[in-house]
Amino acid sequence: MADNKRDYYEVLGVQKSAADDEIKKAYRKLAKQYHPDLNPGDKTAEAKFKEVNEAYEVLSDKDKRARYDQFGFAGVDPNFGGGAGGNPYAGGAGGFDFTDIFDSFFGGGFGGSARRANPNAPRRGTDVEANVVVSFEEAAKGCKKNVTYHQIETCPDCSGSGAQKGTSPKSCPNCGGSGQVRINQRTPFGVVQSVGTCDRCGGRGKIIDTPCKTCDGKGKLRRQKTIEITIPAGIDDDQILNVGGKGNAGSNGGPNGDLHVYVSVRPHAIFKRRGNDVWCEMPITFTQAALGADVTVPTLDGKVSYHVHEGTQPGDVFKLKGKGIQSLNGRGRGDQYVQVTVEVPKNLSKKQREILAEFEQNADEKNYQKRKSFFSKLKDLFED
Ligand SMILES: [Zn+2]
Ligand SMILES: [Zn+2]
């Protein structure tokens, strides 16, 4: 299974010692780069996207990462150990789960001083992540989007108990349901007591005689899920939407985790965003600039007409009030700023040349204020 697979660290382009936020950053960058919505029809990008997600799923999870570091792909492959053959609840029936091995190494089970949490206490599910790509307009005005992600949910057939319908898990007789056993050891200094994980139930406190077939006794299933989410108007690139309760299922009646949706906003061909304002460049002709003209300006609300005044200079900026982006908190809207560029005509006809030459002959200092000031400074410079 490991033959054609690239090392997860290599996939994310990080060192083995990388910190969590470093891994997260690398993942965010690559997930965005290869996101199918940004690379429609590109099979290589799609494969990369999957590879990146798989790597992140392991390296972002403390337990999985440690198992990967120790056992390689075998430590995190769902088809190995913890998967088909591994029913963690089937006490002593050949059930085998990597989590147990791992817990016994790192979970403090042997130490005696570290106390394991009550295995039957409600635990909140973990958070999950998903990506969504929206257009500039969708981000500005808000929209609804379908988001697809993997979620661990409570098995509907056994309601999470892991026991086949009509049966229920029993309290482990070995540890009395605590998941822990006390071990008395006689030493030359007296009896030393330590606390270990119950090996009959693997620390879970429960034993299942007939495991549920749907979830193989785990009580949970990992499923692909698609939900519709509301993207609020004003969302910006790289912001994260939190959807409460849509993450992984909790244990023992604990609540679900949350879904974090990472939003990417596709760049717009004309518009740029600065805060809640929209900026764009607008080319006008040099005669429009000189004479003034009504021009058509694109905005998020469609085209609007604007009067460019006589003598408009390249780089001049005009403002369209309230034509920007809806503020994310719902209060007010930004403005649109339009920066004028002036296009100098090329490929002039003979007639156009004559007209312009005649214009130039009739032009004087008062037509070109900036030029006049420039040359008077130049004169000062050389005649001092
Ligand atoms: Zn089940
Ligand atoms: Zn037990």
Side-chain angles (χ1 to χ4, degrees), residues 336-349:
Q336 180 171 343
Y337 291 90
V338 183
Q339 185 158 40
V340 172
T341 60
V342 175
E343 185 164 7
V344 176
K346 291 200 259 189
N347 307 317
L348 299 178
S349 69

Side-chain angles (χ1 to χ4, degrees), residues 172 174-175 179 198 200-201 205:
C172 172
N174 194 38
C175 60
C198 169
R200 177 87 196 271
C201 63

Side-chain angles (χ1 to χ4, degrees), residues 68 117 148 265 346:
Y68 176 70
T148 301
V265 180
K346 291 200 259 189

Side-chain angles (χ1 to χ4, degrees), residues 154-165 211-221:
T154 304
C155 172
D157 286 358
C158 62
S159 309
S161 75
Q164 204 182 337
K165 238 185 193 148
C212 165
K213 289 196 175 64
T214 311
C215 62
D216 198 28
K218 289 187 170 65
K220 284 175 182 172
L221 294 169

Side-chain angles (χ1 to χ4, degrees), residues 26-62:
Y27 164 71
R28 293 287 316 135
K29 197 170 149 246
L30 292 167
K32 210 168 153 177
Q33 186 180 341
Y34 297 120
H35 198 282
D37 287 357
L38 293 172
N39 303 278
D42 183 343
K43 291 276 168 224
T44 317
E46 195 186 315
K48 289 255 188 206
F49 185 70
K50 278 192 188 140
E51 194 185 24
V52 163
N53 273 296
E54 187 187 318
Y56 184 63
E57 203 179 311
V58 169
L59 298 187
S60 64
D61 183 308
K62 198 174 115 269

Side-chain angles (χ1 to χ4, degrees), residues 25 28-29 32 131-132 134 235-241 261-266:
K25 223 170 135 186
R28 293 287 316 135
K29 197 170 149 246
K32 210 168 153 177
N131 294 289
V132 70
V134 297
I235 194 101
D236 206 347
D237 194 32
D238 281 339
Q239 285 185 320
I240 303 159
L241 284 171
V261 182
Y262 286 77
V263 180
S264 298
V265 180
R266 241 181 262 133

